[in-house]
Amino acid sequence: MQETRLDIARIRAVRRLIDPIFLDSPLYRCEALEPDLGCTLSIKLETANPVRCFKARGTEVVTSLLAGDGPRSVVCASAGNLGQALAWSGRRRGLDVTVVASRFATAAKLDRIRALDARLELVDGDHEMARERAADIALRDGIRLVEDSLDIETCEGAATIGLELVAATPSFDAVLIALGGGALATGVGHVVKAMAPEAEVICVQPLGAPAMTHSWHRRRVVTTDSTDTIADGVAGRRPIPAVLDDLLLVADDAVLVQETSIIAGMRMLLDHAGLVVEPSAALGVAAVLEDRDRFAGRHVVTIVCGSNVDMDAYHRWVGATPLPRSWSPS
């Protein structure tokens, strides 16, 4: 494999910096989902931790290094999950944390950031505007800007998921990974390609937020003017060139899925696995629903990456009527 920015030896080393509460997350075969999906499905569950998402694996690495020798104040832009994770990790190490987010972000995520003692600044725009504001604050105040996916610590922290996956499941045919900024996809993808190269690394993004997927297919950065998806955790418009370069080396495919498929995936995870998940976490199941023939008879792993969801919205999306076994996307 060509060189990415990531390194297996460093990934193994940073595991020691991460609070054990975020490590060795559950990995299990979910047989109840298999009749509807037509494949063997294993779930890597990244929601059973204090911030209910995978992001703290990266923020634990960032803040550990800063606590040892670095600025005592940090700022990030977040759709919600990174902000919670940085607030949790920063509070644990005595750092001052500022999170910039869109005021239209999921209210439950914003409330949790405040509860974790971070300073929260809201902007009247989307995540890209929050990124710009966070960069301005870092420059103005001379503090550390944590940029998810660009900062290698966030990618290598996420990559520890891949180490656990490969160690526990030595034989699988494909791993389906939610694709947003790219930390999860490049991190896990790097480990899988290095240690289980026969497995496909397939990234999944909503049709309403396709910038990184279009960039992967065209092998250059493609931006969009807006996003339109309930999967707020992956709704970026401006891919980071260095992250795309890594993704081009570790991903075998990048696919887009419909909103109806995401909602169906959320409902199936509730009905058959007892899991309440945010839309981004259902992208892998949505990808199987939209292309059953591709995955038929194969062993597929999907990373359930977050469960920070506004429950009122969740109930509106998922509803109360069971999905028919013959369901297919419109």
Side-chain angles (χ1 to χ4, degrees):
M1 187 176 73
Q2 291 177 263
E3 293 293 326
T4 70
R5 295 177 302 145
L6 290 80
D7 178 80
I8 291 291
R10 280 203 313 265
I11 294 165
R12 293 187 188 280
V14 300
R15 266 184 62 92
R16 297 192 293 269
L17 304 177
I18 300 171
D19 189 307
I21 202 166
F22 297 108
L23 297 174
D24 300 311
S25 56
L27 172 66
Y28 58 95
R29 181 178 170 187
C30 191
E31 294 183 61
L33 277 167
E34 293 175 2
D36 286 339
L37 297 179
C39 64
T40 299
L41 184 79
S42 291
I43 286 174
K44 181 68 166 162
L45 187 63
E46 289 295 313
T47 65
N49 62 59
V51 297
R52 302 198 303 191
C53 67
F54 78 95
K55 294 285 189 181
R57 290 182 184 249
T59 60
E60 282 288 281
V61 179
V62 172
T63 57
S64 291
L65 297 173
L66 288 176
D69 182 21
R72 306 299 299 176
S73 298
V74 295
V75 60
C76 76
S78 176
N81 283 347
L82 178 70
Q84 290 180 74
L86 187 62
W88 193 94
S89 297
R91 185 178 68 175
R92 178 170 175 248
R93 294 174 176 85
L95 304 181
D96 294 322
V97 176
T98 298
V99 178
V100 185
S102 168
R103 69 176 63 256
F104 308 110
T106 300
K109 295 180 179 181
L110 300 180
D111 288 344
R112 186 59 181 153
I113 291 169
R114 294 186 184 98
L116 288 167
D117 299 330
R119 175 176 176 266
L120 180 63
E121 179 171 324
L122 301 178
V123 298
D124 292 316
D126 64 5
H127 180 64
E128 301 302 338
M129 184 176 290
R131 284 174 61 184
E132 293 173 2
R133 177 58 181 160
D136 289 343
I137 291 172
L139 183 63
R140 181 195 69 196
D141 296 344
I143 63 177
R144 167 67 185 271
L145 173 64
V146 177
E147 293 192 77
D148 197 22
S149 304
L150 178 60
D151 285 5
I152 198 64
E153 298 93 339
T154 62
C155 301
E156 291 185 337
T160 60
I161 297 169
L163 291 179
E164 296 167 12
L165 173 60
V166 171
T169 312
S171 178
F172 57 95
D173 298 307
V175 57
L176 297 167
I177 310 173
L179 179 61
L184 184 63
T186 59
V188 174
H190 179 90
V191 173
V192 170
K193 283 299 142 190
M195 302 177 68
E198 69 285 352
E200 275 193 294
V201 173
I202 302 171
C203 304
V204 190
Q205 199 165 38
L207 189 63
M212 187 63 101
T213 296
H214 287 333
S215 299
W216 185 88
H217 283 283
R218 299 179 193 177
R219 305 189 69 83
R220 61 176 177 82
V221 170
V222 176
T223 62
T224 60
D225 293 331
S226 61
T227 60
D228 184 15
T229 179
I230 62 172
D232 60 309
V234 293
R237 297 189 289 109
R238 301 174 189 168
I240 299 169
V243 182
L244 175 61
D245 289 344
D246 289 341
L247 192 70
L248 289 170
L249 295 174
V250 302
D252 295 297
D253 199 3
V255 301
L256 298 172
V257 295
Q258 302 172 62
E259 299 294 292
T260 51
S261 302
I262 298 171
I263 293 169
M266 294 169 69
R267 183 56 195 264
M268 292 176 72
L269 286 164
L270 174 64
D271 285 348
H272 301 303
L275 297 175
V276 174
V277 305
E278 61 189 85
S280 301
L283 288 170
V285 174
V288 179
L289 285 172
E290 292 203 4
D291 198 353
R292 285 183 176 88
D293 289 345
R294 175 176 186 173
F295 300 104
R298 304 176 74 193
H299 182 187
V300 176
V301 177
T302 186
I303 300 170
V304 175
C305 56
S307 62
N308 291 298
V309 62
D310 179 89
M311 291 309 299
D312 288 339
Y314 181 86
H315 289 304
R316 288 197 304 272
W317 297 328
V318 171
T321 303
L323 291 166
R325 291 178 63 84
S326 60
W327 181 92
S328 62
S330 59

